[in-house]
Amino acid sequence: MRYLEQIFNIYLENKKNPIPDLNIDLTSVEKKEIPILPRKEKDKKPHFEFGEVYFFVNKKGVPIFFMINGKVEESKNELYSVYKVSDFTEFATQKDFIFEMNNLSYMVETWNEFYLYKDSIENALFIGKLSNEDLYILQDVLDGIIEIPQEKRGLTIPEDGNYIQHKFQEEEVKDIETYKSLIFEIFEDIEVEEEINFLEEMLSKSLEEVEVPELVFASEEETYAEKEDFILLKEQNIIRIKITNKQLIGKKVLMEIFGKKIKTILPEEFKFALPEKLKDISTEYLANNIRLEEI
């Protein structure tokens, strides 16, 4: 069996049994490739910065190394972009950035980005951080300014072809594929926020055209109204609505307010501003003129 095939089989076995049985007979190659469980360095503390390397075990029991790239700007829940790191540098290609840490060789898989929330990173084991020199080079690589220097990368492998490096890459993606999908939660949050902004803007515009009789204006004490599908709260000239009918939340709904119709995906909560002429309107009267109907 060729050397890389031996190492690949050891790699697969390590994924099934992360802690090796040291009582079995091993070849010299296998002894060399026994995984060393990482240890946290005493004088180093994590700061959730670019280049920090961590270790955790995923739900399948597979050990995962990763390097922080940076916080996703659109994230409200502190989602971080990270890159898979591996100590199996024998399978490095032109897309892998090789570096040394704690007297061991690792590689950043610049092609294998995934995502973790900050609390997951806090629960991971902090290993250390790339050197400043490596950080400068890697940042330029990830920004597309330069290619990985020859001395910092592996073999140049064609995209097609039955190479063992491709099999390794497929396995590496499998280990973290569930974490890749976390980015879609951000897109969903953005879409929901855009829908809410649209709804709030349309409601405010619709009310500008409304004329109501003097009798429906209320005292400052009247700030609350409750209907079958929602609760309405008035704070000065801001109306806040919370949908209590769970069957309508997230559904396509026709909202009618004083005869003005708006089609929207109904959020659980939203708010809108009252025009100056309606700032003292009765909350009960306003609530009575809001209707919701699933389309």
Side-chain angles (χ1 to χ4, degrees):
M1 185 182 292
R2 289 181 295 178
Y3 177 75
L4 277 184
E5 290 176 344
Q6 286 183 286
I7 300 301
F8 186 67
N9 287 335
I10 293 169
Y11 163 76
L12 293 178
E13 187 61 30
N14 285 346
K15 290 174 66 171
K16 296 177 183 177
N17 303 291
I19 301 178
D21 183 357
L22 299 182
N23 294 319
I24 62 175
D25 293 331
L26 299 174
T27 67
S28 59
V29 171
E30 290 171 328
K31 287 179 181 177
K32 179 182 178 183
E33 295 305 323
I34 288 177
I36 300 174
L37 296 180
R39 296 181 179 179
K40 183 176 179 179
E41 293 201 1
K42 295 180 180 179
D43 298 330
K44 292 187 177 181
K45 296 181 180 180
H47 298 285
F48 305 98
E49 295 176 344
F50 175 64
E52 291 182 348
V53 178
Y54 294 78
F55 170 88
F56 75 104
V57 178
N58 71 8
K59 293 179 180 179
K60 297 179 181 179
V62 178
I64 304 292
F65 290 95
F66 66 91
M67 184 204 77
I68 288 184
N69 181 31
K71 184 178 177 182
V72 180
E73 292 183 3
E74 297 85 355
S75 172
K76 296 180 179 179
N77 298 316
E78 297 192 287
L79 185 68
Y80 281 77
S81 159
V82 302
Y83 285 98
K84 181 82 165 61
V85 169
S86 175
D87 54 347
F88 279 85
T89 55
E90 292 85 358
F91 302 105
T93 71
Q94 69 273 22
K95 295 187 288 186
D96 296 300
F97 183 88
I98 300 172
F99 66 96
E100 300 288 324
M101 179 177 289
N102 305 332
N103 297 317
L104 296 172
S105 292
Y106 298 91
M107 63 183 181
V108 178
E109 300 172 357
T110 65
W111 47 272
N112 200 5
E113 182 183 17
F114 62 105
Y115 302 89
L116 290 171
Y117 285 109
K118 186 176 181 180
D119 58 351
S120 297
I121 299 174
E122 288 174 331
N123 291 325
L125 182 66
F126 174 66
I127 306 303
K129 188 174 182 180
L130 276 70
S131 68
N132 288 336
E133 181 181 356
D134 281 342
L135 287 177
Y136 291 137
I137 298 172
L138 182 57
Q139 185 66 74
D140 284 346
V141 169
L142 296 176
D143 289 342
I145 298 173
I146 62 171
E147 293 184 349
I148 301 175
Q150 187 171 357
E151 69 275 11
K152 304 293 292 184
R153 67 186 186 216
L155 296 175
T156 299
I157 303 296
E159 292 295 330
D160 54 353
N162 188 27
Y163 293 92
I164 198 166
Q165 287 87 347
H166 292 158
K167 295 179 181 178
F168 171 80
Q169 291 174 356
E170 289 173 4
E171 290 293 328
E172 288 290 276
V173 171
K174 286 180 185 177
D175 291 343
I176 47 84
E177 59 186 352
T178 57
Y179 303 105
K180 286 181 176 288
S181 62
L182 291 179
I183 190 62
F184 293 109
E185 296 180 9
I186 299 299
F187 295 147
E188 290 171 1
D189 289 343
I190 293 172
E191 290 175 2
V192 170
E193 187 173 346
E194 289 177 348
E195 188 69 36
I196 292 174
N197 290 340
F198 169 77
L199 175 60
E200 293 175 351
E201 183 180 351
M202 291 301 295
L203 285 169
S204 295
K205 286 183 177 180
S206 297
L207 288 173
E208 290 176 358
E209 304 172 10
V210 171
E211 297 293 339
V212 297
E214 293 289 336
L215 295 176
V216 301
F217 288 93
S219 63
E220 293 183 2
E221 288 76 18
E222 187 186 341
T223 60
Y224 177 88
E226 184 172 356
K227 296 300 173 185
E228 181 180 358
D229 295 327
F230 62 89
I231 296 171
L232 184 150
L233 180 66
K234 183 171 179 289
E235 299 174 346
Q236 296 181 349
N237 70 323
I238 300 297
I239 297 296
R240 297 183 181 274
I241 292 181
K242 178 177 177 60
I243 305 301
T244 53
N245 183 348
K246 302 297 184 182
Q247 301 301 317
L248 293 178
I249 297 173
K251 301 293 180 60
K252 193 170 185 179
V253 167
L254 180 65
M255 177 181 290
E256 185 174 343
I257 180 166
F258 291 104
K260 306 289 184 180
K261 297 179 179 180
I262 303 169
K263 291 181 180 180
T264 185
I265 304 297
L266 192 64
E268 184 174 0
E269 296 183 27
F270 56 96
K271 67 181 186 300
F272 57 92
L274 291 171
E276 182 65 24
K277 63 181 180 180
L278 298 181
K279 64 183 181 68
D280 296 322
I281 193 172
S282 161
T283 52
E284 190 69 28
Y285 181 77
L286 177 58
N288 287 338
N289 281 277
I290 297 176
R291 295 177 178 81
L292 303 172
E293 180 182 355
E294 185 177 353
I295 301 175

